[in-house]
Amino acid sequence: MTVEYESQGLPLDAYQLSRADHRRQGEAEDIAAWVERQLAKAPPWSEERFRQLQELLGSHATPPPWEYMRWRVRLYCRHVQEVERHCRETRPDMGARDKCCSECGKNPAVIVAFEVIGPAAEPPAPPREKSRNTVSRGGRVGRRTKAELEAEDSELRVEVERLHRTVAE
């Protein structure tokens, strides 16, 4: 699966916020305020219900680090940061994923420019297959014949019998 990653602007260059950036930031702030109001109206959860939710969410396996892509992003507040997103996502601003700026604390801060940096980690090397080839007594590489295996079996049986007699003496 090949993913074509998108970019928008250059996060490290000077960036002028557009009307669309201001509109998206305003929408993100409105949504965050609405969510806060809804949460304030909600009845408090019991410890048991909270524990059940944690168990439910805890059972969701986090993908391994090599399934994430690193992105350099410029936030609405003009700060540049790195974020990680799943490697199937072609942009770091997909969905409702506004960031909280770790420098100034602006929350939410929409992503206004971004570029892909590279994988968050390298995948582990695939396990090497064990070779089915062996070296026969004649020194050649290849699969051993039935006659060779029977001869080796016979030699080993004689060796085991000799060891048994030595131990018995």
Side-chain angles (χ1 to χ4, degrees):
M1 167 182 88
T2 303
V3 178
E4 292 284 327
Y5 296 106
E6 299 177 33
S7 67
Q8 176 177 308
L10 295 172
L12 294 178
D13 286 351
Y15 185 84
Q16 289 292 349
L17 294 173
S18 67
R19 276 195 262 175
D21 295 332
H22 291 298
R23 179 183 41 77
R24 286 182 26 249
Q25 179 65 30
E27 289 171 353
E29 290 172 358
D30 291 345
I31 291 169
W34 181 85
V35 168
E36 287 295 323
R37 286 192 304 274
Q38 300 309 308
L39 288 173
K41 293 179 197 175
W45 278 20
S46 68
E47 284 296 319
E48 175 64 19
R49 191 168 185 189
F50 186 71
R51 187 189 57 72
Q52 289 173 342
L53 179 65
Q54 285 180 316
E55 286 177 14
L56 177 68
L57 295 176
S59 66
H60 177 69
T62 303
W66 56 86
E67 288 188 18
Y68 286 91
M69 190 62 65
R70 289 180 23 241
W71 296 81
R72 181 175 297 115
V73 300
R74 178 177 290 275
L75 302 176
Y76 180 81
C77 59
R78 301 192 190 315
H79 292 117
V80 176
Q81 297 182 353
E82 284 189 17
V83 297
E84 291 182 1
R85 299 290 187 257
H86 197 274
C87 63
R88 288 187 301 245
E89 295 184 21
T90 59
R91 308 170 51 111
D93 61 348
M94 303 269 298
R97 288 243 197 99
D98 300 316
K99 266 196 61 63
C100 175
C101 180
S102 60
E103 290 184 48
C104 68
K106 183 150 191 69
N107 188 15
V110 296
I111 296 171
V112 297
F114 54 85
E115 63 186 352
V116 69
I117 298 173
E122 290 298 319
R128 293 183 359 178
E129 287 188 31
K130 290 185 179 180
S131 174
R132 296 183 73 191
N133 295 335
T134 59
V135 177
S136 69
R137 295 207 178 234
R140 73 177 209 278
V141 175
R143 296 189 86 172
R144 298 192 305 184
T145 65
K146 183 177 179 182
E148 289 173 322
L149 291 171
E150 287 174 346
E152 183 179 357
D153 180 54
S154 167
E155 290 172 14
L156 290 172
R157 287 180 189 274
V158 168
E159 180 68 17
V160 167
E161 188 59 38
R162 186 187 65 75
L163 290 171
H164 278 298
R165 279 190 303 238
T166 306
V167 170
E169 293 174 352

